[in-house]
Amino acid sequence: MPRVKLLFVGDVVGSPGRRVLEEVLPGLRKQHEPDWIVVNGENSAGGLGVTEKTAKAFFAMGADAITLGNHAYRHREAYRYLDEEPRIVRPANYVKGNPGRGHTVVEKDGARLGVVNLSGTVFMKAARSPFTEADSILEELDGRTDHVLVDFHAEATSEKVAMGWHLDGRVTACVGTHTHVPTADARVLPGGTAYVSDVGMTGSRDSVIGVRREQALESFRTQMPIRFETADESPWVNAVLIEAAPDGRAQSIEQLLLTP
Ligand SMILES: [Fe+2]
Ligand SMILES: [Fe+2]
């Protein structure tokens, strides 16, 4: 099997995020020819959560799998879809029996990609430690995948960096999501795991992490309840491109911050 290229797209926020991804993706695919495309869709439906419609839009664009995060359960009507669609994952360390699955294996042309979604626990709610959860999932995936991508959806950079070291040499990539702000620390760790603390978001750049900036500002200024709407000004795509050897080890990780 040749080298593998994996494109991971950070939290797509609302229809502006979906639109800019749809606009940029054909060029990206042409230029880099990724073997796998994984998209974080936790903010894809109206800025919060995912629906069958937004998930299907990503699959139609060429996504092989979708990861989620703390907004996974925002839309009740999506619960059945989370149970039925094997290519979409929500944090694995949520309460057992909740809708959906936390890891999956997608297959294409004889290649197998394991996709794992985990939630942090610092300033976030999860039922179990993401560290021990990762261990048991990797045990379960042993021998069933060629490459593994972990989307660690977490708030604190310390917890994310720690997860990178925890998984180094055991997965192809450990990419952080949730903060919607890309970090400048993308690298391949010594054991061969591509790592970045946060990929960033795909949506309005002239916003406060996807929210209309005047509304976010008013909320901070007045500390009163404010209705948030998804911003649409100057959208961009935040993603990473990872190259990996046939043995599952990453060789490079490149940050992509793209305006149309
Ligand atoms: Fe998000
Ligand atoms: Fe999140």
Side-chain angles (χ1 to χ4, degrees), residues 5-10 20-39 61 202 236-241 254-260:
K5 280 193 196 176
L6 215 157
L7 180 72
F8 180 87
V9 180
V20 70
L21 183 61
E22 196 166 20
E23 206 173 325
V24 165
L25 206 48
L28 260 181
R29 293 175 74 174
K30 210 169 178 182
Q31 190 185 348
H32 298 291
E33 301 184 326
D35 301 282
W36 301 104
I37 299 174
V38 179
V39 176
M61 288 181 216
T202 294
W236 67 340
V237 171
N238 289 185
V240 287
L241 184 74
E254 184 191 345
Q255 194 168 39
L256 304 173
L257 309 174
L258 305 166
T259 49

Side-chain angles (χ1 to χ4, degrees), residues 8-11 151 160 174-183 185 196-202 237-240 253 255-257:
F8 180 87
V9 180
D11 304 32
D151 172 353
K160 290 162 134 169
C174 172
V175 295
T177 57
H178 175 67
T179 71
H180 292 197
V181 177
T183 56
D185 60 343
V196 64
S197 291
D198 207 294
V199 178
M201 72 164 196
T202 294
V237 171
N238 289 185
V240 287
I253 175 168
Q255 194 168 39
L256 304 173
L257 309 174

Side-chain angles (χ1 to χ4, degrees), residues 11 42 70-71 153 178:
D11 304 32
E42 77 139 1
N70 52 306
H71 299 303
H153 197 80
H178 175 67

Side-chain angles (χ1 to χ4, degrees), residues 206-247:
D206 289 354
S207 69
V208 175
I209 63 169
V211 168
R212 291 177 73 94
R213 61 182 189 276
E214 64 276 13
Q215 294 171 348
L217 274 167
E218 193 180 348
S219 163
F220 280 115
R221 252 189 323 108
T222 64
Q223 299 187 356
M224 292 295 285
I226 306 290
R227 193 167 159 264
F228 283 166
E229 289 163 326
T230 304
D232 55 9
E233 282 174 76
S234 66
W236 67 340
V237 171
N238 289 185
V240 287
L241 184 74
I242 294 148
E243 281 193 67
D247 67 359

Side-chain angles (χ1 to χ4, degrees), residues 138-169:
L138 291 183
E139 213 170 287
E140 205 181 313
L141 288 179
D142 191 32
R144 292 178 49 213
T145 64
D146 302 300
H147 295 84
V148 176
L149 171 111
V150 175
D151 172 353
F152 188 33
H153 197 80
E155 183 76 51
T157 46
S158 56
E159 194 177 19
K160 290 162 134 169
V161 170
M163 183 60 82
W165 290 117
H166 184 62
L167 296 177
D168 185 26

